[in-house]
Amino acid sequence: MKRVCLLLAGACFGAGVHAQSVQAGKVQKIDSIEGGYAFHLENGYATITAYSPTIVRIRITRSRPEADFSYAVDDLTPHGHYLKKTEDALYTDSIRIAIGKSPFRLTFLNAQGDTLNSDDPDLGVSWEGDQVTSYRHMAMDEHFIGWGEKTGPLDRRGQSFVNWNTDAFGYGVNQDPIYGSIPFFIGVHGSVSYGIFFDNTRKVLANFGGGVDDDKYYFGAPAGEMNYYFFGASTVPGIIEDYTKMTGRAPMPPLWSLGYQQCRWGYMSRYELLQVAEIFRQKKIPADVIYCDIQYMDHYKVFTWDLQKFPDPKGMIDSLRGMGFDLVTIIDPGVKIEPGYKAYDEGTAKGYFARYPGGKPYVGSVWPGRCNFPDFTRPDVRAWWGNNFKESHTDMGIRGFWNDMNEPAILGGKEVPTLVEFNTGTLASVKNVFGLEMARATFEGTKKLLNQRPFNLTRASYAGVQKYSAVWTGDNNPQDEHMLLGYRLLNSLGLSGVPFVGMDIAGFSGDASPDLFLRWMSLGVYAPLYRNHTAINNRYHEPWQYGETNTDYMRQVIDWRYQLLPYIYSSFYQAHTSGMPINRMLPIEYTHDTSVYKDAYGTEFEFGDNLLVCPVDSKTLVAAVYLPQGAWYRLSSDQRYEGGAVAYVPSPIKDLPVFVRAGGIIPEQSIIQNTKEAGDGTLYLHVWKGDRGSSYTYYEDDGQTYSYEQGNYYKRNIRYEPRDSRIVLDKAEGPYQTRFKRIRLVLHGADGWDKVTINGIAGQATKDQKVYFVELNNSNDPITIQW
Ligand code: MIG
């Protein structure tokens, strides 16, 4: 074809039959605008603005855009003037953007002059019809991480992805797309890293060097703007901090939602639900949450109850509360078409539903039958939706909401026509944010009604979802590879700004083997959302369903989750304040260690500051794990390992390989049956001997209100200073009173602790097998323990 065209070049060109791509072209004029500069291009218009010295936004359109809009970024206005201009570059205090003018090309460099990333010299930004694409230069040694809830290996290099939120029941470990779309990634090469967030909600395509040449990668969309943020902070945590500065950070979750959560599709009646809750208490297996899947509704109609199967919901919820349980209920977006049904009548009267171009509401079949779908992109529809929870949910005492089917999913895998209209556009640009906007409606509504923290969970997601909801990874499979994939999904979601994430333990679409069940439950401790779920017709999945001796192990595992809650809660505070995820893929801390990008170790992650978790499948009884540089202790034995090497470690089913950083500090509490229990009032502060010092921020608040936003919390910096032989608890910050009146300091891996002083006064260290412990009264004043 090409040759023919060359021969007939004159004819082809002259007749204009063969439309070519349109390149951005030359820079014709540069204006200064609020927060940056505008570039008049031969075939387009570009703006470069900065939100901080490390956050730059590039917006390229065919003609000068009128409106500016984002579902993910609340504040699009650049506050402050960070960009300066020279003849051929823009620069901030941290980065420099070299500008090629003929044609328009951008190269991003750090302050040291290292190139972070650049437009591909041959292709750059172009249009083919409405399709807009940015081709970028790919370094020979470049790795890519993130891009939200995407399957496959940790390193995205060599893969391509489509963003198109999809109900992906029983998805394969390399299937794409699945439920969520977060077009944010980090590139790592040489000694540098950078981040890019392509804020386009359409069917975005990204190709990280898969089918392109060895030196190119691209992302693009079938329409809309080439609108991306470039993050030039010098470390991966800095890039995540900046990304979440733009798209928002997760609020503190209700403490109860961090306990063990038991779900099933479905507990069929009030009787069954209460019975399951009672068994947890009888067997002394801690738990905080039990779920109602779709069976609780009257003919699956949202905001109703099936009072035959679930009579007196309020009484049932009170009984659960009496046992220390919260109930979380599912909520689906489809509103059954049924005159006389309140949600339908109101939605119809007010014109709240998404519609066909002619104006008739769109109809699709879901659980209740034929349904209309609220246009969640409208603020008034979100407010209406949110208020609907009052009578059926919040007045009953429900504080947790599970947003399902919001891709949106139609039964039978049918597709909603992309022509269906919403306030902000057709489904073509709304599909990927439908779930985000539904989760937002549910969160904002229930937050207002409850006047405390709701727990909100969603299946579909887009960038910024962390502000409104936790995310779970949908209908996974009871297979080893799926358990491992699940952790890569959580880790990638974490890197992509969403810290509160979980997966169905131990697989949704069928029955797990006993070994897989045990392994998955023990791994689940290290998921921010610790939730067991399975589909209807599968075998029962509660922790006691796999035999008596295994039940004892399940109890130990869940006990351990509850002991770890002070550590997990403090990690949530970090996520809330800096965007740092709780599940951290190794490239976050060990960015330039090439081993961490290998598939063999790509599922390992740090859980909070000081734990290293090595997911091992249920068949591998001796595992090769990669321990990054530094020294590590096996959590279960205190055996010490030198890092920077692969270690072969026993991994029997009841001993998951988990390591603690030498010098690491981990606050724990006594075993409780649910988070509403007080426990023994002692904070167990574990420290593992290391050569290097460390510091840790302990955080506590009331666990359910928003008063922490006004500063009502208890925060304490804890320092381990081996050179000075001491541990220092700095003065506690904030007016909130800790619930721990006493502290037991537990030192692992150390000798010579026999003589200790506490604030200069002789104290007592007791040796108990491998550890020393020191008991002290807690006070808000500084405490120094010296040996
Ligand atoms: O069409 O509500 O992913 O967790 O149990 C299936 C029933 C609908 C899909 C969810 C799953 C839930 C199930 N739902």
Side-chain angles (χ1 to χ4, degrees):
M1 271 312 285
K2 204 174 171 195
R3 197 164 324 142
V4 173
C5 208
L6 276 176
L7 288 171
L8 304 173
C12 288
F13 193 78
V17 232
H18 291 250
Q20 307 292 347
S21 69
V22 174
Q23 301 291 313
K26 292 181 185 146
V27 177
Q28 295 172 329
K29 182 165 156 282
I30 306 176
D31 291 333
S32 110
I33 57 166
E34 193 189 352
Y37 295 88
F39 297 75
H40 299 259
L41 311 173
E42 213 174 327
N43 295 310
Y45 180 86
T47 59
I48 302 182
T49 51
Y51 294 81
S52 84
T54 48
I55 307 174
V56 178
R57 180 180 177 198
I58 309 339
R59 200 175 168 209
I60 308 176
T61 44
R62 285 301 303 273
S63 54
R64 192 174 175 150
E66 276 159 29
D68 195 6
F69 175 75
S70 172
Y71 296 95
V73 179
D74 285 343
D75 186 4
L76 290 163
T77 310
H79 303 282
H81 298 274
Y82 303 100
L83 276 175
K84 290 174 206 109
K85 188 175 163 305
T86 62
E87 184 44 34
D88 54 3
L90 300 183
Y91 63 96
T92 69
D93 294 345
S94 310
I95 56 177
R96 184 181 160 83
I97 308 165
I99 312 227
K101 290 188 182 151
S102 182
F104 180 62
R105 294 282 186 266
L106 304 177
T107 300
F108 298 84
L109 305 104
N110 64 16
Q112 291 74 50
D114 306 313
T115 298
L116 302 174
N117 179 241
S118 60
D119 284 337
D120 177 70
D122 301 317
L123 297 172
V125 170
S126 63
W127 292 270
E128 295 163 89
D130 288 334
Q131 165 79 37
V132 61
T133 311
S134 170
Y135 273 88
R136 314 190 70 83
H137 177 71
M138 182 171 74
M140 290 305 273
D141 62 341
E142 190 150 355
H143 302 287
F144 298 97
I145 48 179
W147 207 250
E149 189 191 52
K150 292 296 185 186
T151 61
L154 166 139
D155 189 349
R156 306 306 193 184
R157 182 168 179 142
Q159 303 184 72
S160 62
F161 302 99
V162 177
N163 287 354
W164 196 242
N165 291 1
T166 298
D167 177 7
F169 171 81
Y171 53 101
V173 293
N174 290 302
Q175 186 171 321
D176 182 66
I178 57 170
Y179 307 91
S181 300
I182 305 183
F184 167 69
F185 69 92
I186 292 174
V188 177
H189 59 91
S191 61
V192 300
S193 55
Y194 64 93
I196 289 182
F197 168 42
F198 178 36
D199 191 9
N200 184 314
T201 63
R202 289 168 188 268
K203 203 176 205 171
V204 161
L205 195 69
N207 188 323
F208 295 105
V212 223
D213 228 336
D214 289 340
D215 60 353
K216 292 175 178 41
Y217 74 96
Y218 67 79
F219 49 82
E225 302 181 359
M226 178 44 63
N227 170 30
Y228 69 90
Y229 296 78
F230 188 91
F231 301 100
S234 58
T235 63
V236 171
I239 294 167
I240 298 172
E241 186 165 352
D242 281 352
Y243 167 73
T244 54
K245 180 180 164 170
M246 295 313 295
T247 59
R249 300 195 179 117
M252 286 304 290
L255 180 61
W256 59 264
S257 68
L258 304 184
Y260 177 73
Q261 304 199 358
Q262 184 64 53
C263 191
R264 176 181 179 80
W265 173 25
Y267 294 126
M268 303 305 272
S269 65
R270 170 197 170 108
Y271 170 78
E272 190 177 8
L273 208 65
L274 290 173
Q275 196 188 34
V276 172
E278 274 161 21
I279 298 175
F280 273 98
R281 298 304 176 233
Q282 279 160 17
K283 294 192 178 291
K284 287 217 171 315
I285 297 177
D288 267 81
V289 183
I290 194 160
Y291 277 72
C292 272
D293 204 316
I294 50 179
Q295 277 76 23
Y296 82 94
M297 294 178 272
D298 172 24
H299 292 88
Y300 305 128
K301 288 184 285 187
V302 282
F303 309 120
T304 69
W305 281 86
D306 180 339
L307 296 173
Q308 304 277 290
K309 294 189 203 120
F310 294 88
D312 182 20
K314 177 140 196 335
M316 176 182 79
I317 290 156
D318 287 345
S319 305
L320 287 170
R321 186 64 53 83
M323 289 187 271
F325 274 94
D326 261 88
L327 179 70
V328 174
T329 46
I330 202 166
I331 198 86
D332 285 1
V335 174
K336 185 178 174 62
I337 299 176
E338 184 184 278
Y341 158 44
K342 186 164 166 273
Y344 172 76
D345 287 347
E346 283 179 11
T348 306
K350 299 250 167 82
Y352 282 164
F353 300 125
R355 58 207 171 269
Y356 291 115
K360 271 200 306 194
Y362 161 73
V363 181
S365 283
V366 221
W367 289 104
R370 307 289 276 161
C371 285
N372 292 149
F373 295 81
D375 178 359
F376 292 111
T377 70
R378 280 170 57 174
D380 55 344
V381 176
R382 288 199 297 271
W384 166 74
W385 177 266
N387 242 328
N388 267 311
F389 285 91
K390 186 170 177 354
E391 275 171 43
S392 53
H393 288 75
T394 54
D395 282 357
M396 302 280 180
I398 296 174
R399 307 188 285 183
F401 312 93
W402 173 24
N403 302 258
D404 191 19
M405 303 293 272
N406 50 6
E407 292 69 33
I410 306 299
L411 289 189
K414 299 210 172 95
E415 281 191 25
V416 183
T418 52
L419 297 166
V420 169
E421 292 178 354
F422 296 80
N423 184 39
T424 51
T426 66
L427 188 85
S429 65
V430 170
K431 190 171 186 5
N432 289 336
V433 293
F434 186 87
L436 171 85
E437 296 288 78
M438 177 191 177
R440 177 181 180 186
T442 303
F443 175 73
E444 289 175 344
T446 57
K447 175 179 173 183
K448 206 154 139 200
L449 291 171
L450 289 167
N451 197 27
Q452 57 167 285
R453 306 176 203 171
F455 165 68
N456 202 28
L457 182 61
T458 180
R459 194 169 72 174
S461 59
Y462 183 73
V465 70
Q466 64 270 13
K467 296 190 285 279
Y468 315 121
S469 189
V471 172
W472 101 103
T473 58
D475 299 342
N476 61 356
N477 299 333
Q479 295 155 0
D480 280 299
E481 317 79 77
H482 236 278
M483 175 177 71
L484 302 182
L485 166 69
Y487 277 89
R488 290 195 301 280
L489 291 172
L490 303 194
N491 301 345
S492 182
L493 277 162
L495 183 101
S496 310
V498 192
F500 199 3
V501 286
M503 71 187 93
D504 290 355
I505 300 165
F508 177 79
S509 71
D511 296 334
S513 71
D515 280 356
L516 181 59
F517 184 84
L518 297 190
R519 181 72 106 207
W520 211 326
M521 284 286 284
S522 70
L523 256 172
V525 170
Y526 309 100
L529 175 69
Y530 189 16
R531 175 175 178 268
N532 172 310
H533 182 44
T534 194
I536 198 161
N537 298 330
N538 293 346
R539 73 175 283 176
Y540 277 81
H541 238 204
E542 295 74 26
W544 55 85
Q545 300 286 1
Y546 285 80
E548 269 308 306
T549 48
N550 289 335
T551 301
D552 289 338
Y553 178 58
M554 291 293 85
R555 181 183 303 107
Q556 272 173 40
V557 157
I558 300 175
D559 282 350
W560 168 230
R561 166 75 177 203
Y562 278 81
Q563 289 174 276
L564 255 192
L565 282 178
Y567 176 75
I568 296 173
Y569 199 67
S570 298
S571 306
F572 267 91
Y573 182 70
Q574 255 183 320
H576 168 65
T577 48
S578 74
M580 178 60 110
I582 295 155
N583 286 40
R584 307 173 186 168
M585 59 169 76
L586 298 188
I588 293 181
E589 183 173 351
Y590 306 95
T591 311
H592 300 291
D593 175 346
T594 52
S595 293
V596 303
Y597 298 94
K598 292 185 179 155
D599 287 355
Y601 316 119
T603 303
E604 292 182 18
F605 62 96
E606 289 175 289
F607 186 71
D609 282 347
N610 294 317
L611 288 171
L612 170 70
V613 180
C614 305
V616 175
D617 69 32
S618 64
K619 294 166 189 132
T620 302
L621 304 182
V622 178
V625 301
Y626 180 68
L627 301 176
Q629 72 191 54
W632 300 89
Y633 291 84
R634 178 122 185 201
L635 183 66
S636 58
S637 66
D638 271 352
Q639 187 181 337
R640 191 182 150 113
Y641 292 81
E642 290 310 313
V646 175
Y648 295 86
V649 299
S651 55
I653 282 301
K654 295 186 183 175
D655 189 5
L656 180 75
V658 177
F659 299 85
V660 197
R661 188 192 304 281
I665 297 169
I666 298 189
E668 298 172 17
Q669 66 183 4
S670 62
I671 295 168
I672 48 178
Q673 296 307 302
N674 65 78
T675 58
K676 297 117 204 158
E677 274 186 9
D680 70 2
T682 299
L683 185 70
Y684 296 78
L685 208 53
H686 291 254
V687 183
W688 281 260
K689 185 179 188 244
D691 305 327
R692 272 189 260 144
S694 67
S695 86
Y696 180 81
T697 304
Y698 173 81
Y699 177 84
E700 199 181 323
D701 63 22
D702 68 24
Q704 56 178 358
T705 76
Y706 286 93
S707 73
Y708 70 96
E709 289 178 347
Q710 274 72 55
N712 186 26
Y713 52 67
Y714 170 97
K715 194 163 85 173
R716 189 163 212 176
N717 195 44
I718 302 169
R719 286 177 281 135
Y720 170 58
E721 300 178 336
R723 289 214 182 95
D724 299 315
S725 304
R726 67 184 177 206
I727 291 166
V728 181
L729 284 69
D730 289 340
K731 189 171 162 39
E733 285 171 51
Y736 187 75
Q737 285 304 312
T738 175
R739 61 180 190 276
F740 300 109
K741 304 288 167 258
R742 294 184 58 74
I743 292 176
R744 171 186 276 210
L745 188 67
V746 185
L747 202 83
H748 298 251
D751 297 316
W753 255 59
D754 307 278
K755 288 206 178 91
V756 293
T757 62
I758 301 164
N759 284 347
I761 298 163
Q764 206 197 334
T766 312
K767 187 154 194 191
D768 178 12
Q769 298 186 6
K770 290 178 186 163
V771 299
Y772 282 94
F773 60 88
V774 181
E775 307 270 352
L776 42 140
N777 284 323
N778 199 358
S779 84
N780 286 351
D781 295 327
I783 306 176
T784 300
I785 300 99
Q786 183 105 36
W787 65 93

